[in-house]
Amino acid sequence: MKLIYAPTSPYSRKVRVLLAETGQSDDIEMAQIFATPVDTPDEVQAANPMGKIPSLVREEGTSLYDSRVICQFLDERADAGLYPAGSRWEVMTLEATADGILDAAILMVYERRIRPPQFVYPEWEEAQWVKVARAVQAVNDRWMSHLAGPLTMGHIAVACALGYLDFRHPDRNWRKGCDALDDWYAVFSERDSMKATVPPA
């Protein structure tokens, strides 16, 4: 199998952290690419008609895409239990919350990086940050008991989302009013899987 990924993509990072945590990193060929929404390599389009990453190209069967699909496939492949039956819906909801944070945070990046300067819409950009801040606060207020428990995909997804906020939006200070989540992330980010997947500056 081959994982098509970008080193700065937080969705790719989720998959790479999962691979490291479940001992599957050596099983997967890593195909690093660089792409933007307006410049998509042919290899990416061949694996995913939407032209998004990550994509997991399998020897047999269709390629898998969307990080949540890939993560569930790899979790089942390793029998790792990152989506435990007793809390599966909670884990999936927490992962969806983390991915929602990423969706909004990435749109903010594209607003400045992709859109011509004369068309940048600051009010829309700020509205995306409101979504991010609201979701981060919700994780801090409602999900710390889950994050204090055994490792699940929810932990990985939240950590990758917070890492992306530090990477792309360091001046926004997601930590304000979220002391419990800040303390948790400080510990979780020291895991070998997280250190090995820090995006390049």
Side-chain angles (χ1 to χ4, degrees):
M1 288 187 292
K2 177 171 66 176
L3 181 70
I4 301 174
Y5 80 101
T8 57
S9 162
Y11 305 106
S12 296
R13 190 182 189 190
K14 283 173 51 185
V15 178
R16 295 167 66 210
V17 171
L18 179 151
L19 288 171
E21 291 285 351
T22 59
Q24 299 183 81
S25 296
D26 293 339
D27 298 344
I28 310 293
E29 177 187 350
M30 306 298 287
Q32 180 175 310
I33 60 92
F34 294 91
T36 74
V38 294
D39 183 17
T40 305
D42 292 343
E43 182 180 16
V44 177
Q45 295 181 48
N48 177 355
M50 299 297 293
K52 295 182 177 182
I53 51 173
S55 293
L56 184 66
V57 181
R58 300 185 292 170
E59 289 85 356
E60 297 181 1
T62 59
S63 296
L64 303 180
Y65 45 85
D66 186 281
S67 62
R68 279 177 275 187
V69 174
I70 296 171
C71 286
Q72 290 193 47
F73 172 81
L74 293 172
D75 174 69
E76 185 173 313
R77 178 177 185 264
D79 194 22
L82 294 177
Y83 296 90
S87 58
R88 182 177 184 85
W89 300 114
E90 289 77 11
V91 171
M92 292 175 68
T93 299
L94 185 54
E95 184 180 9
T97 302
D99 280 7
I101 291 169
L102 290 177
D103 292 344
I106 288 172
L107 286 175
M108 293 174 67
V109 172
Y110 289 163
E111 184 71 11
R112 296 284 173 174
R113 181 171 296 179
I114 305 297
R115 193 180 299 278
Q118 66 270 29
F119 297 126
V120 169
Y121 187 7
E123 291 84 358
W124 183 89
E125 182 182 26
E126 193 61 33
Q128 301 311 307
W129 182 255
V130 169
K131 296 176 185 179
V132 169
R134 190 166 58 227
V136 169
Q137 191 70 57
V139 175
N140 182 83
D141 294 348
R142 305 173 194 170
W143 289 96
M144 295 313 301
S145 61
H146 179 93
L147 293 176
L151 180 68
T152 71
M153 196 60 215
H155 295 71
I156 294 172
V158 168
C160 290
L162 298 178
Y164 187 76
L165 296 182
D166 281 345
F167 177 52
R168 293 299 194 197
H169 302 290
D171 297 335
R172 289 284 186 163
N173 190 18
W174 64 262
R175 292 170 171 82
K176 184 177 181 181
C178 296
D179 292 345
L181 187 57
D182 181 18
D183 291 344
W184 173 84
Y185 178 67
V187 174
F188 195 90
S189 62
E190 290 300 311
R191 296 176 78 96
D192 290 344
S193 61
M194 291 291 291
K195 289 182 177 180
T197 57
V198 172

